[in-house]
Amino acid sequence: MTTTGEVHAAARGGPWWWERWRSAALDVGLAVASAVECAFEGIRFAHDAGIPLAAGIVFGVLAGSALLVRRQWPIAVVLVSIAITPAQMGYLMGMVGLYTLAASELPRRIIGSLAGMSLVGMLIVMFVRVQQDMAHGDWKLGDWFVPFAAITIAIGMTAPPLLLGLYVGARRRLMESLRERADSLERELQLLAERAEERAEWARGEERTRIAREMHDVVAHRVSLMVVHAAALQAVARKDPEKAVKNAALVGDMGRQALTELRQMLGVLRSGDGGVRRSAQAAVPLAAVGVAAAVAASRAADEGEGPCLSELDELIGQSAAAGMVVDLSVEGETRVYAAQIEQTAYRVVQEALTNVHKHAAGAKTHVRVAHRVSEIAMQVENEPPPEVASASSARLPSGGNGLVGMKERVTGLGGVFVSGPTDAGGFRVSAVIPAA
């Protein structure tokens, strides 16, 4: 709620039907003034009507006190003022009642009807009173003065309070409408801020996931192969020094390749989009890091540094050098795809082979790539691992993010990803990516 709305709500603390104590005090004062006026005018009314003086005063006090309820029942106050107009009393009550009636939320037809009745009553009374005063006085102004004076006085006592009430009522409604609009706008802004915070939190989670997936794809495969070769090196170090040297060289090559890809990734993350240099003290938003992480792979592929389908032979050769029996088959006409598609296809095969190293060391693996008219399909399926190889395989840690990352990559390009165990006891990973 706005500050204006809070002040307006806090001010509502008056007695009975009054919203504020100040309003109650004003109405009490007006009612007292009206009662005094009607009491003095009741003296003349009692003399003219031939009733006891006390009855005229009491009647005037009771009639004038009706102004006390002008905010709650403005119609009743105006009707009372019209009713006592022939007694030539209640002029203050009539004007205040018309003002209150015009400023209220009542329909215009009711306001107009009561205002017309008050005008007609005042006109008749003033006509009679001016005519009596001229008959008892020494004025010689002609017959035209009586209707002129009656009309002038009636309009003067009816039109100003009516117009002022209409203006105040319209202004009050306008201010209330503006206050409601301000409150509504503040609530909408607060809701938008909450939604923006939720979207920002969701975006931060998405960027964290993207960064983790990129780093996992860059490092996990080669580090896994390094662990496999290190285990093999430990096993043959004394028995076959020549093979140990070969495995050590492979471990070094794997480490250098992992460092190269990691350096490329961190370089892009450090430079952001390459167009703006930030100071060392400037805080880099997580969203910018996530965008940079996403750009890293695509930029590397565009510059010929990232993985692509033409490197599958080398990838499978590395796994074969680590002791895995891998069978690669390619169907359809080989062609060049967009960088993201080639990189995703490569990562799917790479991560599937990494999982075989982790969970089914020594198992024979079949890699199939099919180039179709509007899509490219990959399938990596391994047979059950031999018991001897499983028992002696290197224990590679698994975070359980490989399959999740592959599925996110494939579905992000509008493809389909399926994985699960086979009936023969192995495991199969399949992905289909649209070529466009």
Side-chain angles (χ1 to χ4, degrees):
M1 183 180 291
T2 60
T3 304
T4 305
E6 292 175 354
V7 173
H8 183 72
R12 297 176 180 270
W16 295 341
W17 56 81
W18 287 286
E19 296 180 353
R20 295 182 293 270
W21 282 97
R22 183 177 61 183
S23 301
L26 176 61
D27 288 356
V28 170
L30 290 175
V32 171
S34 177
V36 171
E37 177 205 359
C38 291
F40 279 105
E41 293 171 344
I43 297 174
R44 179 178 177 179
F45 171 70
H47 180 269
D48 294 340
I51 62 176
L53 181 64
I57 295 176
V58 171
F59 174 75
V61 171
L62 293 178
S65 300
L67 200 59
L68 188 67
V69 296
R70 69 183 184 95
R71 297 178 190 267
Q72 187 72 4
W73 298 293
I75 296 178
V77 174
V78 174
L79 290 176
V80 170
S81 69
I82 295 174
I84 64 176
T85 299
Q88 298 183 6
M89 65 173 62
Y91 299 113
L92 175 62
M93 182 172 61
M95 291 187 293
V96 176
L98 281 177
Y99 164 80
T100 307
L101 179 70
S104 66
E105 302 291 336
L106 293 172
R108 289 285 185 265
R109 63 179 183 275
I110 296 179
I111 297 175
S113 301
L114 292 177
M117 293 171 58
S118 179
L119 176 64
V120 172
M122 188 67 65
L123 180 63
I124 295 174
V125 171
M126 287 296 106
F127 185 87
V128 174
R129 184 168 184 175
V130 172
Q131 191 175 32
Q132 290 176 351
D133 291 342
M134 289 188 64
H136 292 84
D138 298 330
W139 295 355
K140 303 296 181 181
L141 299 176
D143 296 337
W144 61 270
F145 181 75
V146 175
F148 173 77
I151 294 173
T152 302
I153 295 174
I155 294 177
M157 296 183 67
T158 305
L162 181 67
L163 296 177
L164 180 61
L166 291 174
Y167 167 75
V168 171
R171 184 176 181 275
R172 183 184 301 158
R173 287 187 291 271
L174 176 62
M175 295 301 295
E176 186 67 24
S177 174
L178 293 176
R179 185 182 298 112
E180 291 177 357
R181 291 177 60 184
D183 294 342
S184 176
L185 179 60
E186 184 168 354
R187 287 192 295 269
E188 290 179 3
L189 291 177
Q190 184 177 3
L191 181 61
L192 289 176
E194 293 176 357
R195 291 181 177 177
E197 181 63 25
E198 292 176 358
R199 288 195 297 268
E201 185 64 28
W202 175 83
R204 284 192 289 267
E206 289 293 314
E207 300 310 328
R208 292 190 187 98
T209 302
R210 184 187 300 181
I211 293 173
R213 184 171 62 245
E214 296 294 337
M215 299 299 292
H216 179 275
D217 291 341
V218 167
V219 179
H221 178 74
R222 302 196 186 281
V223 173
S224 299
L225 290 180
M226 290 172 61
V227 174
V228 173
H229 283 293
L233 176 62
Q234 183 181 6
V236 301
R238 296 181 179 180
K239 299 179 181 180
D240 193 348
E242 183 177 352
K243 188 174 182 179
V245 172
K246 182 179 179 180
N247 286 342
L250 288 175
V251 171
D253 291 338
M254 294 294 176
R256 282 187 292 271
Q257 292 174 3
L259 288 175
T260 300
E261 293 190 8
L262 183 60
R263 188 180 298 112
Q264 293 172 359
M265 173 70 69
L266 295 179
V268 177
L269 289 175
R270 182 180 296 275
S271 62
D273 58 0
V276 180
R277 289 183 175 271
R278 299 179 182 269
S279 62
Q281 292 80 13
V284 181
L286 181 59
V289 178
V291 172
V295 171
S298 60
R299 178 181 297 180
D302 293 340
E303 296 175 355
E305 299 176 356
C308 56
L309 290 175
S310 61
E311 300 178 8
L312 282 181
D313 291 333
E314 180 181 356
L315 176 66
I316 292 175
Q318 293 172 354
S319 295
M324 179 187 297
V325 180
V326 189
D327 177 22
L328 173 63
S329 63
V330 180
E331 302 175 3
E333 183 180 355
T334 304
R335 60 183 186 273
V336 179
Y337 300 92
Q340 269 191 316
I341 296 176
E342 292 218 4
Q343 182 182 1
T344 300
Y346 180 92
R347 294 299 189 193
V348 169
V349 176
Q350 181 188 55
E351 181 60 29
L353 293 176
T354 302
N355 288 341
V356 175
H357 283 293
K358 291 180 179 179
H359 307 292
K364 184 176 182 179
T365 306
H366 304 276
V367 179
R368 300 180 179 87
V369 179
H371 300 274
R372 300 168 184 170
V373 177
S374 59
E375 61 188 16
I376 177 174
M378 297 79 59
Q379 179 177 294
V380 179
E381 179 180 349
N382 63 274
E383 299 177 357
E387 297 181 359
V388 177
S390 300
S392 61
S393 61
R395 296 181 179 178
L396 295 174
S398 175
N401 297 318
L403 294 176
V404 175
M406 284 190 284
K407 184 175 182 179
E408 290 175 349
R409 281 184 174 275
V410 173
T411 56
L413 296 178
V416 179
F417 178 84
V418 179
S419 63
T422 63
D423 295 337
F427 198 85
R428 180 187 299 119
V429 172
S430 302
V432 178
I433 304 175

